[in-house]
């Protein structure tokens, strides 16, 4: 997993990731290293645009491996040529990839244990791995057999629960904020949660956590025309209303071009 490039330009995944602006005008810059993020909301609310901001940062980091799982094939497709691994709507490939990640995570823990450390840091000669999954429900509830779906959820839960210290960041998006797709036990493992517009206050609570809607933090109050607006909850804080920065396809094409120059393509 070690990169053989010398980082001469670009960003680092140890730097904050820019996502947009809060309603008070301050920039939204989140530290994704050692954390996971969940983005959820109704179709067309702006999740893919949010994901693209995160993937863009990842693609511009020579110290990061980008593993993209795109159940819709085209949402993350523009990044394909700079991805270290791209899985389309194929549950078998998705399971194989998650098993590889799990094995890599275990290997990293053995190594951390050997050197008596608790987590990897920026001086370690290994890549952080960013695992991006869009649309979660396609892998966990739609494609494949029930056994495969359950295995997908088991593997994902393990990565979300244990991956952070080993330098594995999970970024997951779904347009189905329901208890079967985002069970509490999985939701609570995500340090950051972004609730885009939802149809009901209970869907909003499924994303952010129980009780937030009653306290006024309710993503069903986001108007349908407010695309890209979300409530962002960071570990231990209160949800804050924000708007995701907008990346057009033209922006993404030039970012891919730039990323290609600063990354070494390993697999595809
Ligand atoms: N931050 C933003 N600023 C301006 N427009 C936005 C923003 N985010 C999203 N939009 C608009 O909303 C449209 C839908 O956004 P997006 O594709 O990200 O939604 P989605 O939640 O991923 O939908 P789906 O669940 O169907 O994939 C975009 O094509 C764009 O026109």
């Amino acid at each position: 997993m070690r990169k053989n490039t010398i980082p001469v330009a670009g960003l680092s995944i140890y730097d904050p990731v820019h996502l947009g602006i809060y309603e008070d005008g301050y920039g939204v810059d989140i530290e994704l290293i050692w954390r996971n993020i969940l983005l959820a909301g109704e179709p067309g609310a702006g999740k893919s645009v949010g994901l693209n901001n995160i993937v863009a940062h990842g693609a511009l980091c020579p110290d990061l491996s980008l593993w993209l799982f795109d159940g819709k094939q085209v949402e993350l497709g523009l990044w394909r040529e700079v991805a270290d691994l791209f899985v389309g709507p194929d549950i078998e490939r998705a399971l194989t990839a998650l098993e590889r990640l799990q094995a890599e995570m275990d290997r990293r823990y053995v190594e951390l244990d050997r050197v008596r450390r608790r987590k990897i840091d920026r001086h370690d000669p290994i890549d952080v791995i960013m695992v991006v999954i869009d649309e979660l429900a396609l892998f966990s509830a739609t494609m494949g057999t029930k056994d495969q779906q359950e295995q997908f959820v088991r593997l994902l839960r393990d990565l979300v629960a244990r991956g952070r210290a080993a330098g594995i960041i999970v970024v997951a998006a779904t347009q189905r904020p329901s208890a079967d797709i985002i069970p509490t036990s999985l939701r609570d493992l995500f340090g950051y949660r972004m609730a885009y517009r939802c149809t009901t206050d209970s869907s909003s609570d499924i994303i952010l956590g129980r009780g937030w809607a009653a306290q006024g933090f309710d993503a069903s109050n986001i108007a349908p025309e407010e695309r890209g607006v979300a409530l962002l909850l960071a570990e231990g804080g209160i949800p804050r209303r924000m708007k995701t920065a907008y990346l057009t396809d033209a922006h993404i094409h030039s970012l891919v071009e730039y990323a290609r120059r600063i990354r070494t393509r390993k697999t595809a």
Side-chain angles (χ1 to χ4, degrees):
M1 289 279 167
R2 182 176 182 156
K3 278 236 162 73
N4 54 8
T5 46
I6 300 167
V8 288
L11 304 172
S12 167
I13 190 56
Y14 291 90
D15 298 331
V17 175
H18 183 68
L19 270 189
I21 53 168
Y22 288 114
E23 60 182 342
D24 58 11
Y26 283 97
V28 183
D29 295 281
I30 60 169
E31 296 202 350
L32 259 192
I33 186 71
W34 308 307
R35 290 190 180 78
N36 303 295
I37 183 167
L38 174 70
L39 302 87
E42 70 174 31
K47 299 175 299 295
S48 300
V49 173
L51 273 185
N52 275 315
N53 278 279
I54 298 171
V55 175
H57 185 105
L60 295 177
C61 295
D63 55 0
L64 182 132
S65 279
L66 200 52
W67 289 44
L68 304 180
F69 293 70
D70 187 351
K72 300 181 200 154
Q73 183 84 29
V74 291
E75 292 290 351
L76 299 170
L78 296 178
W79 300 102
R80 189 174 185 146
E81 60 180 300
V82 288
D84 296 280
L85 184 103
F86 185 92
V87 176
D90 181 336
I91 187 80
E92 274 168 28
R93 279 198 71 214
L95 289 174
T96 308
L98 289 188
E99 277 161 2
R100 274 175 64 196
L101 277 167
Q102 191 183 46
E104 173 62 15
M105 175 173 71
D106 290 339
R107 195 188 66 72
R108 290 181 178 199
Y109 273 116
V110 169
E111 183 58 18
L112 281 169
D113 188 46
R114 193 184 66 77
V115 297
R116 301 199 172 283
R117 297 241 317 273
R118 293 199 311 184
K119 63 182 182 187
I120 72 151
D121 67 36
R122 67 162 80 221
H123 305 296
D124 289 317
I126 48 170
D127 286 350
V128 169
I129 302 172
M130 182 187 276
V131 181
V132 184
I133 302 173
D134 186 26
E135 148 74 63
L136 191 57
L138 288 176
F139 294 104
S140 68
T142 309
M143 275 184 275
T145 63
K146 195 149 185 6
D147 274 358
Q148 287 175 315
Q149 294 165 0
E150 282 171 5
Q151 199 191 348
F152 181 89
V153 174
R154 243 191 333 269
L155 286 163
L156 177 68
R157 187 187 302 267
D158 189 34
L159 282 179
V160 182
R162 296 196 298 128
R164 299 176 311 141
I168 298 175
I169 298 169
V170 177
V171 180
T174 182
Q175 53 177 227
R176 284 179 46 192
S178 53
D180 55 332
I181 305 301
I182 317 174
T184 310
S185 58
L186 177 65
R187 190 264 326 278
D188 288 348
L189 296 169
F190 286 90
Y192 292 106
R193 297 171 215 155
M194 275 178 92
Y196 286 87
R197 184 183 147 75
C198 295
T199 35
T200 64
D201 54 354
S202 56
S203 313
S204 178
D205 269 1
I206 282 171
I207 306 163
L208 296 175
R210 197 151 164 220
W212 282 118
Q215 293 179 60
F217 302 100
D218 178 356
S220 70
N221 289 337
I222 298 171
E225 62 276 14
E226 292 181 303
R227 292 169 188 264
V229 172
L231 293 173
L232 171 65
L233 178 67
E235 254 163 359
I238 58 167
R240 291 179 72 183
R241 197 177 155 99
M242 60 158 291
K243 183 161 187 180
T244 319
Y246 186 59
L247 289 175
T248 61
D249 282 2
H251 290 136
I252 295 175
H253 286 305
S254 36
L255 285 163
V256 168
E257 186 50 38
Y258 184 56
R260 206 152 49 114
R261 278 188 265 142
I262 60 172
R263 297 174 68 79
T264 302
R265 194 169 162 215
K266 293 171 294 190
T267 47

